[in-house]
Each structure stands twice: as C-alpha cells, then as structure tokens.
Amino acid sequence: MKNSIESTSVFRHSSNEVFLMTFLSNGFLSVGRMNTSEKLIKKQKDKTPKKGRPLGYDPEEMLETAMQLFWTGGYDATSLDDILSAANISKSSFYHMFGSKQQLFERCLGRYCDRQLALIEDGLQQSSTGRDFIEALLYGLVDAARKKEERYKGCFVTNTIYEFVDRDENISKLISGTLAQHNQLLQAAIKKGQAEGLITKQKTPKVLASFLMCSIAGIRTMIFAKVEIDQLVDAVDVALAALD
C-alpha cells in the first residue's frame, strides 16, 4: 500500500537551492533538493504562456464586411486582397483568425443564413395570421427589389447555389439545411393559415410549402435578372392565388 502525503514544507538553503521536506503517513520524512538558479527560473518563465496582444480589429465587423463582399461579388470574384483591403487587416491576422478564404466564406454564408432564418421566424411570430405572414414574405421580396442595391446583390444563398452546384460538400450541406428550415417555417405558417380558414386544405402544408419555396427561388432569380417590378408583383399574385 502506498504511503500518502501528510504535508510538505519548503526551506531555503541558499539563494540557488531549496529543500522540500515531505511528511508521509507512515511517519517517515522525505527530503529533496531543488535547484532554483536564476537561469532555471528564467527558463521556466519562458515556458509560461504569454497573453496575446489585443486584436486590432473587430472579428464581427470583419465578418460583416466579408459577407457583403461575397454577397455582392461571389466567392471566385472576391479575392483575398479585396477582403484584406476592405477590412484593413494584415494577411497574417486574417489567417490567424479565419484560416482560409474558404473557411471565411462558409462563416459568412452561415451568418447570412442564420440572420435570414431569424427574420423569417420573427416575422411568423409577429404576424396575426399565417396567410398575412406569407403575403408579407413574398411582397417583401418585391419591396426589396425596388432598392437598386438589393437588386444588384440578389440573394446570397441563391447566388451561392448557382456558383457552388455540386462543388463543395460543406457549403451544399449548409444550404440544404437552411432551405429545410425555411421549408419548415413555411409549413408552420400554412398549417396556421389552414386552421384559421385562410388557406386551402386541398393541398398538404408540405406540398404548398414546396410550391412557395420554388416560387420564392424563381422570384429571386427574376429580381437578380432585373425584370420590371410589375412582373414581380404579378408573379407574387399568382403564387398567393394557389393558397386560395
């Protein structure tokens, strides 16, 4: 059976040595000597992790800046130099924080997806009826298209789908997951609208949600193609008529 340690005391012998006196449970005393030369102490200090310097930039601001660049120009057309220049950071700081341009893009796309889903979910909770939510969502696309900046950028997710079709597994999974959540929110709105008697029950929420997802994708494509606003309104009217 091993002896347990009852207590340990330290006594300095000289400026360079200390004795460790350890009292064991069996009554014996163990004495050890340890060198504490300045050289050894310095060596130990050198091994101590140093506090990092404060970042010279805000990572959240950096992500927002990069997201806007990728959203507007796409992945391939946005160079690393474009990002470094817009964010005003060094290449070493960039690689330390984000690893690579690809990893940064994935974080930016995830940021956009999370933001859009949060807006949709909040809109559903705030709407008085399920139908009101769907109408606000679709006509909201038209309202956004009236702004030249939004018409030029299009939808970040849709743009990425066109650019990364079967090209990257991580991005494909992220987009698929986002679309699935979007579909679930639409189904929840449709179920609510059906219970309220404002949406037809001739089709299941799953079928109607899939139809609306296709309609939204088509409308976003039309927006990106810069078609006339009245054509967008007509497309929304027809999509909503399917809910009657």
Side-chain angles (χ1 to χ4, degrees):
M1 179 177 179
K2 293 184 178 180
N3 295 312
S4 60
I5 297 174
E6 295 289 340
S7 64
T8 299
S9 300
V10 180
F11 298 93
R12 179 171 292 280
H13 175 67
S14 67
S15 60
N16 293 333
E17 292 182 328
V18 296
F19 284 99
L20 302 179
M21 302 182 67
T22 303
F23 296 90
L24 304 177
S25 58
N26 60 6
F28 285 93
L29 174 67
S30 174
V31 180
R33 185 177 68 176
M34 184 174 69
N35 189 304
T36 59
S37 64
E38 292 184 3
K39 183 178 181 180
L40 179 60
I41 293 174
K42 183 178 184 301
K43 185 178 180 180
Q44 294 299 320
K45 286 183 177 180
D46 290 340
K47 293 181 180 179
T48 303
K50 296 179 176 60
K51 290 184 177 180
R53 291 181 297 176
L55 293 175
Y57 59 93
D58 182 351
E60 287 299 310
E61 183 177 338
M62 165 72 189
L63 278 172
E64 185 66 26
T65 298
M67 187 186 78
Q68 294 298 329
L69 289 174
F70 285 133
W71 186 357
T72 301
Y75 178 82
D76 289 334
T78 302
S79 69
L80 180 57
D81 287 338
D82 292 334
I83 297 169
L84 298 179
S85 177
N88 193 29
I89 66 170
S90 66
K91 186 176 291 187
S92 61
S93 295
F94 170 84
Y95 284 120
H96 173 72
M97 179 59 62
F98 300 106
S100 68
K101 175 185 167 184
Q102 170 85 15
Q103 290 175 311
L104 174 62
F105 181 82
E106 290 176 9
R107 289 182 62 177
C108 289
L109 182 60
R111 180 188 183 90
Y112 176 88
C113 291
D114 289 344
R115 183 179 295 176
Q116 292 303 307
L117 287 172
L119 288 173
I120 294 172
E121 187 171 6
D122 183 65
L124 178 56
Q125 293 176 351
Q126 298 297 325
S127 295
S128 57
T129 69
R131 175 120 190 179
D132 284 345
F133 162 75
I134 295 172
E135 291 182 354
L137 181 64
L138 269 63
Y139 283 120
L141 296 175
V142 178
D143 291 338
R146 300 180 193 277
K147 303 174 184 177
K148 291 184 179 180
E149 181 181 356
E150 295 300 319
R151 287 177 66 85
Y152 178 74
K153 289 194 299 185
C155 169
F156 193 10
V157 172
T158 303
N159 298 348
T160 302
I161 291 173
Y162 292 149
E163 187 172 12
F164 279 87
V165 174
D166 295 329
R167 174 173 155 182
D168 185 274
E169 184 177 356
N170 289 336
I171 292 177
S172 294
K173 286 182 178 179
L174 175 58
I175 291 176
S176 295
T178 298
L179 294 179
Q181 292 180 69
H182 192 174
N183 186 286
Q184 290 297 316
L185 290 171
L186 284 175
Q187 287 192 51
I190 292 167
K191 289 178 183 178
K192 183 180 179 181
Q194 289 178 331
E196 295 162 340
L198 299 174
I199 294 178
T200 180
K201 293 183 179 180
Q202 293 181 359
K203 299 293 183 181
T204 65
K206 183 178 181 180
V207 170
L208 290 175
S210 295
F211 168 75
L212 288 176
M213 290 285 289
C214 291
S215 299
I216 290 171
I219 292 169
R220 289 189 183 281
T221 301
M222 293 171 68
I223 292 173
F224 192 71
K226 302 177 178 61
V227 302
E228 297 297 327
I229 294 295
D230 59 348
Q231 289 182 264
L232 298 177
V233 173
D234 290 341
V236 170
D237 289 342
V238 172
L240 292 175
L243 304 180
D244 295 336

Coordinates of all heavy atoms in Angstrom, one line a residue, residues 11 58 102-103 105 110-111 149 154 170 172 180 198 200 217:
F11 N 12.0 24.8 2.7 CA 13.0 25.5 3.4 C 14.1 26.0 2.5 O 14.7 25.1 1.7 CB 13.6 24.7 4.6 CG 12.6 24.3 5.6 CD1 11.9 23.0 5.5 CD2 12.3 25.1 6.6 CE1 11.0 22.6 6.4 CE2 11.4 24.7 7.6 CZ 10.7 23.5 7.5
D58 N -12.2 44.2 -35.2 CA -13.4 43.6 -34.6 C -13.7 42.4 -35.5 O -14.1 42.6 -36.6 CB -14.5 44.5 -34.5 CG -15.7 43.9 -33.8 OD1 -15.8 42.7 -33.6 OD2 -16.7 44.7 -33.5
Q102 N -11.8 30.1 -47.9 CA -12.9 29.2 -48.0 C -13.6 29.1 -46.6 O -14.9 29.1 -46.5 CB -12.4 27.8 -48.3 CG -13.4 26.6 -48.2 CD -14.3 26.5 -49.4 OE1 -14.0 27.0 -50.4 NE2 -15.4 25.8 -49.2
Q103 N -12.8 29.0 -45.5 CA -13.4 29.0 -44.2 C -14.2 30.3 -43.9 O -15.2 30.2 -43.2 CB -12.3 28.7 -43.1 CG -11.8 27.3 -43.2 CD -10.6 27.1 -42.3 OE1 -9.7 27.9 -42.2 NE2 -10.7 26.0 -41.5
F105 N -15.6 32.2 -46.0 CA -16.8 32.2 -46.8 C -17.9 31.4 -46.2 O -19.0 31.8 -46.1 CB -16.5 31.7 -48.2 CG -17.7 31.7 -49.1 CD1 -18.1 32.8 -49.8 CD2 -18.5 30.5 -49.3 CE1 -19.2 32.8 -50.6 CE2 -19.6 30.5 -50.2 CZ -20.0 31.7 -50.8
G110 N -23.0 31.1 -43.4 CA -23.7 30.7 -42.2 C -24.3 31.9 -41.5 O -25.4 31.8 -40.9
R111 N -23.6 33.0 -41.4 CA -24.0 34.2 -40.7 C -25.3 34.7 -41.5 O -26.3 35.1 -40.8 CB -22.9 35.2 -40.8 CG -23.2 36.6 -40.1 CD -22.1 37.5 -40.4 NE -22.3 38.8 -39.8 CZ -21.8 39.1 -38.5 NH1 -21.2 38.2 -37.8 NH2 -22.0 40.3 -38.0
E149 N -29.6 48.6 -54.8 CA -28.5 47.8 -54.2 C -28.9 46.4 -54.0 O -28.2 45.4 -54.3 CB -28.2 48.4 -52.8 CG -27.0 47.7 -52.1 CD -26.7 48.3 -50.8 OE1 -27.3 49.3 -50.4 OE2 -25.8 47.7 -50.1
G154 N -28.9 40.5 -55.2 CA -29.7 39.3 -55.2 C -29.7 38.6 -53.8 O -29.5 39.3 -52.8
N170 N -19.4 20.9 -47.9 CA -19.7 21.7 -46.7 C -20.8 22.8 -47.0 O -21.7 23.0 -46.3 CB -18.5 22.3 -46.1 CG -17.6 21.3 -45.4 OD1 -18.0 20.2 -45.0 ND2 -16.3 21.6 -45.3
S172 N -22.8 22.8 -49.6 CA -24.0 22.2 -50.0 C -24.9 21.8 -48.8 O -26.1 22.0 -48.8 CB -23.7 21.0 -50.9 OG -23.1 21.3 -52.1
A180 N -34.1 23.6 -45.7 CA -35.0 22.7 -45.0 C -35.7 23.4 -43.8 O -36.9 23.3 -43.6 CB -34.3 21.5 -44.5
L198 N -57.9 30.4 -43.8 CA -57.5 31.4 -44.8 C -56.6 30.8 -45.9 O -56.3 31.5 -46.8 CB -56.7 32.5 -44.0 CG -57.4 33.3 -43.0 CD1 -56.5 34.2 -42.2 CD2 -58.5 34.1 -43.6
T200 N -56.2 27.2 -48.3 CA -56.9 25.9 -48.7 C -56.3 24.7 -48.0 O -55.1 24.6 -47.8 CB -56.8 25.7 -50.3 OG1 -57.4 24.5 -50.6 CG2 -55.3 25.6 -50.7
A217 N -37.8 31.1 -55.0 CA -36.5 31.0 -55.8 C -36.6 31.6 -57.2 O -35.7 32.3 -57.6 CB -36.1 29.5 -55.9

